[in-house]
Amino acid sequence: MKGFDFEEERIEGEIAKLGAKRVLLQLPEGLKPEGLHLAKIVEKTGALPIISADPCYGACDVAINEAESLGADLIVHFGHSKLLKHERVPTIYVEARATIQVGKAVEQALPLLSKYVKIGLATSVQHVEVLNQGREILTSAGKTVIIGDSGQMSYPGQVSGCNYSNVKAIADEVEAFLFIGGGLFHALGVALSTSKPTVIADPYDNRAFSIDDEAQKIVKQRWACIEEARTARTFGVIIGLKHGQKRIDEALKIKDLAQKHGDAAYLLAAKEITPETILEFPFVDAYVNTACPRISLDASGKFSKPVLTINEFLVVIGESSWENTLKKGLFES
Ligand code: SF4
């Protein structure tokens, strides 16, 4: 697949250094077509490649249990930067940096940012190297550019699906954000976490557009879910079984809070949170999702019952206000 750096030499070097004999390759959905090519790279070293066919949406989901059950002595996890600290199976992260030029897309964004002077710049891990290129274009156009560094992410300006600390850290200092990268997912997260006007510069389509209407639509959907959940008397509290999504303590707190408010709450554990897996419990009126918060936000239309984030549940039971939740972020604790 053109346009991404798969660091093939580093993979070969790490396999040799560790003397790995069986290597589990884990790719997010968009990069899975590259699995065959990467398996051949592993084969050349003399190790046995196994490609994980399970879905993988984030660095929270390193296939540690799967590697152990397959007897793999190395995991190569593609497309995300390191998030989890674990020592059970050696793991290397290949961030799959995009090699695409972003200049044209950033130039397309300038008219959409004409009202603003102070711009916050953000991107996903694939484009962290080109943030400076974006900064230069904006600065030449007379903008003041700020790139946030909360110390929580691998790189300044980087956001992930559920960590927007780098943009939240500078939200009070900027008038709008420019997100460099493809797709709506991360840019929506920027808009929802900061409540600031957000523009995407998409280098894959060489175009720029505002994400604000889409973000507003999600905010309205979330409010509707909260309203619907106010009549719920039995909650299903979902515990994610993926390593970086398992928050048992949070789930227990939710269960206690629900009971304190006179409601019943039951713990449900799931690896994949889909309508098929969680809607099989007719006694549950609404769910509280302590696993991947983006499921509540981005897939809300797929569920026939409310699937609340933790912060939204606090609004439902009156422990927090909607205004505070919007300020804090719909999905970040
Ligand atoms: S919890 Fe969800 S949004 Fe966060 S890294 Fe995992 S898959 Fe991405």
Side-chain angles (χ1 to χ4, degrees):
M1 186 181 285
K2 280 189 189 142
F4 293 96
D5 178 5
F6 289 101
E7 302 184 56
E8 294 167 14
E9 277 180 27
R10 178 160 82 96
I11 295 171
E12 288 170 358
E14 293 282 350
I15 291 172
K17 196 167 84 189
L18 291 163
K21 300 272 180 290
R22 195 172 287 188
V23 178
L24 183 61
L25 300 172
Q26 196 184 16
L27 298 129
E29 304 321 284
L31 297 182
K32 279 203 167 76
E34 196 64 14
L36 186 65
H37 168 69
L38 294 164
K40 285 181 182 164
I41 303 282
V42 173
E43 262 173 354
K44 270 203 294 181
T45 68
L48 174 72
I50 302 175
I51 305 166
S52 168
D54 274 336
C56 171
Y57 303 111
C60 61
D61 186 17
V62 179
I64 304 166
N65 291 343
E66 293 81 347
E68 284 179 336
S69 93
L70 290 164
D73 40 19
L74 175 66
I75 300 170
V76 186
H77 182 99
F78 291 88
H80 306 115
S81 55
K82 182 175 175 174
L83 177 73
L84 299 179
K85 290 189 181 87
H86 78 94
E87 289 169 0
R88 283 167 47 193
V89 183
T91 303
I92 61 170
Y93 294 82
V94 176
E95 293 167 351
R97 297 281 180 85
T99 50
I100 197 165
Q101 294 298 311
V102 300
K104 266 192 190 160
V106 175
E107 276 162 18
Q108 304 266 354
L110 289 174
L112 299 168
L113 295 168
S114 60
K115 281 193 285 182
Y116 314 112
V117 176
K118 292 181 187 159
I119 311 293
L121 206 47
T123 189
S124 59
V125 70
Q126 267 75 43
H127 302 98
V128 285
E129 265 167 33
V130 294
L131 267 193
N132 274 336
Q133 196 190 336
R135 185 209 298 260
E136 277 165 24
I137 295 169
L138 291 173
T139 308
S140 305
K143 309 290 185 195
T144 301
V145 178
I146 307 178
I147 297 177
D149 189 1
S150 64
Q152 289 182 30
M153 303 299 287
S154 300
Y155 307 97
Q158 181 198 356
V159 297
S160 73
C162 57
N163 191 324
Y164 291 87
S165 54
N166 277 343
V167 286
K168 287 171 87 166
I170 56 167
D172 289 341
E173 300 169 56
V174 302
E175 295 161 273
F177 280 96
L178 177 65
F179 176 84
I180 300 177
L184 307 187
F185 182 75
H186 291 103
L188 266 177
V190 172
L192 291 170
S193 305
T194 63
S195 300
K196 292 277 171 169
T198 303
V199 170
I200 301 181
D202 179 345
Y204 299 95
D205 285 342
N206 269 331
R207 68 182 186 123
F209 53 96
S210 162
I211 195 76
D212 298 341
D213 288 349
E214 204 61 36
Q216 272 313 307
K217 205 165 101 191
I218 291 185
V219 169
K220 281 185 189 147
Q221 278 170 351
R222 300 320 302 158
W223 177 247
C225 262
I226 287 172
E227 287 288 287
E228 193 183 339
R230 286 190 202 278
T231 56
R233 295 283 68 91
T234 303
F235 289 91
V237 185
I238 303 167
I239 302 170
L241 289 175
K242 295 181 181 179
H243 270 267
Q245 295 186 13
K246 202 185 295 165
R247 297 203 280 170
I248 295 177
D249 289 347
E250 292 288 342
L252 289 172
K253 269 191 226 159
I254 300 292
K255 182 171 158 53
D256 285 350
L257 274 172
Q259 287 167 343
K260 200 175 108 193
H261 282 80
D263 296 322
Y266 297 93
L267 301 175
L268 305 170
K271 192 160 183 223
E272 293 298 328
I273 300 158
T274 63
E276 291 74 29
T277 51
I278 66 160
L279 294 179
E280 288 292 324
F281 304 98
F283 57 88
V284 170
D285 302 318
Y287 296 85
V288 186
N289 170 21
T290 68
C292 172
R294 295 302 295 257
I295 292 165
S296 299
L297 266 66
D298 299 68
S300 117
K302 290 190 194 160
F303 297 95
S304 56
K305 290 180 184 175
V307 181
L308 305 165
T309 65
I310 294 173
N311 293 346
E312 290 167 350
F313 172 72
L314 297 179
V315 178
V316 168
I317 59 166
E319 295 269 334
S320 179
S321 71
W322 177 234
E323 291 69 29
N324 271 349
T325 300
L326 283 178
K327 209 165 161 203
K328 190 174 168 190
L330 284 171
F331 52 92
E332 289 180 280
S333 16

